[in-house]
Amino acid sequence: MNSKAFAIFVGAIMVLSAFASFVLRGTDQSEISVEQSSSDSLKAFGMQGNLVDWNFDGISDVLEMAPESTVMAYWVNLSASQNLTNALKTALPESLGLRYGSQLYSTNIERLAGAEFNGTWTEFHWIKPYQINYNSLVIPYENYMMIPTGTDYVTVLGRPVLFGSQDGVQQVIDVITGGEPANGFTLDDNDTADLQVVALGSGGSGMPLSGVYRQFSLDMLVDNESAGSYSLQARLVQPAGNATERIADIATKNNLSYSSQGSDLEISGHVADENLQNVLMALLGP
């Protein structure tokens, strides 16, 4: 998302907030009511049509919903560590769920993911269902009700909630309803990590480490046995350009182990709280 679109979204949150910042454009607030529910059932949303109902335990579940052309995806357990969440707001600055999650819904986003594909994107937000009595404009697509959100985005309720541009969300619905999911990823094998990122070098220079590799993955787990520490594993398949030097430099500066097998590279080890943001920015930045 470019900076102009990002600014428009921020403005929409500030000006068009309708219920718990669900940001519904052009809607009379009297048409909307929100009721808290103790139920985790999708029926608690109170919406007509289909609701998203998909496993959401890690990056492999995200890739099953993401379109075939996906070049990058991430999944994060926002309940694992507030410090990790805060660091990711800087390392993944275009994630609206990370930056404005508490304003998008009347309940917290517990787990969050995003996927980039075909020049667009969609976010996936795992929230506790709550009653939304919405009687204004919706855009039906394959019997999923897309709620206009701000000026440029739509929301489809369920678990997870889909959030993004109309085109991006429709492409995800196409996969959910039987279309071809993301392929080409072979490093999506650690669904126990609290942060999981995968990327393909075919995505270009906007990918982590500028995309100079065939594949990239990052897994990070909050270390419950050592407060303020995170277990990290980052892997590169067939690195090219300056990727080898960059990954070796990250390992050296942060006392991480560095190893290679054939043309593939890996760094691993423990990262302290005070180094977390710098390490994430170094690995996830272009």
Side-chain angles (χ1 to χ4, degrees):
M1 182 191 312
N2 61 39
S3 58
K4 180 180 179 181
F6 197 82
I8 291 172
F9 177 80
V10 174
I13 285 182
M14 300 302 291
V15 177
L16 303 172
S17 182
F19 55 92
S21 284
F22 211 90
V23 208
L24 301 180
R25 176 109 178 152
T27 301
D28 187 334
Q29 292 190 25
S30 65
E31 296 178 359
I32 305 167
S33 63
V34 178
E35 300 175 15
Q36 296 295 334
S37 171
S38 61
S39 173
D40 284 338
S41 169
L42 293 176
K43 293 181 180 179
F45 283 119
M47 286 291 291
Q48 299 295 317
N50 294 334
L51 298 172
V52 179
D53 187 6
W54 206 272
N55 290 336
F56 198 60
D57 297 321
I59 196 67
S60 59
D61 292 328
V62 178
L63 293 175
E64 289 177 359
M65 291 183 282
E68 183 179 10
S69 58
T70 296
V71 293
M72 178 178 173
Y74 62 87
W75 179 97
V76 58
N77 177 9
L78 297 182
S79 303
S81 165
Q82 187 59 50
N83 287 338
L84 177 59
T85 299
N86 291 341
L88 285 171
K89 289 178 182 178
T90 302
L92 295 172
E94 294 191 345
S95 172
L96 298 181
L98 277 171
R99 293 179 67 86
Y100 300 106
S102 62
Q103 301 175 54
L104 291 173
Y105 310 102
S106 67
T107 186
N108 292 331
I109 300 176
E110 299 171 9
R111 286 169 266 164
L112 178 146
E116 296 183 17
F117 48 87
N118 290 334
T120 187
W121 55 274
T122 293
E123 291 187 12
F124 308 79
H125 303 159
W126 187 268
I127 65 172
K128 186 178 183 65
Y130 58 94
Q131 179 98 19
I132 299 174
N133 297 319
Y134 178 65
N135 300 311
S136 192
L137 173 69
V138 295
I139 306 168
Y141 185 75
E142 299 291 348
N143 204 35
Y144 288 86
M145 302 298 123
M146 296 187 293
I147 301 173
T149 305
T151 56
D152 300 303
Y153 311 112
V154 297
T155 299
V156 174
L157 295 174
R159 297 193 100 183
V161 173
L162 307 181
F163 175 85
S165 67
Q166 182 175 332
D167 175 55
V169 169
Q170 286 179 342
Q171 291 184 55
V172 171
I173 292 174
D174 288 340
V175 177
I176 290 174
T177 55
E180 190 69 25
N183 58 40
F185 294 92
T186 61
L187 301 180
D188 56 323
D189 53 1
N190 187 1
D191 276 356
T192 62
D194 295 306
L195 169 65
Q196 303 161 37
V197 184
V198 293
L200 300 178
S202 59
S205 59
M207 296 294 96
L209 298 171
S210 301
V212 285
Y213 44 73
R214 181 178 176 186
Q215 283 191 71
F216 165 90
S217 75
L218 170 64
D219 299 301
M220 185 167 283
L221 179 68
V222 176
D223 191 345
N224 293 323
E225 296 182 359
S226 178
S229 178
Y230 307 84
S231 298
L232 175 148
Q233 180 189 49
R235 293 174 285 176
L236 293 180
V237 174
Q238 297 180 13
N242 66 346
T244 300
E245 290 77 12
R246 290 180 65 181
I247 204 80
D249 185 59
I250 293 169
T252 300
K253 289 181 177 179
N254 295 280
N255 198 29
L256 299 171
S257 298
Y258 173 95
S259 62
S260 62
Q261 183 174 359
S263 62
D264 302 341
L265 304 177
E266 177 180 317
I267 62 172
S268 60
H270 295 275
V271 177
D273 256 339
E274 57 267 26
N275 299 326
L276 179 61
Q277 181 171 303
N278 288 337
V279 170
L280 287 175
M281 290 179 66
L283 286 169
L284 298 180

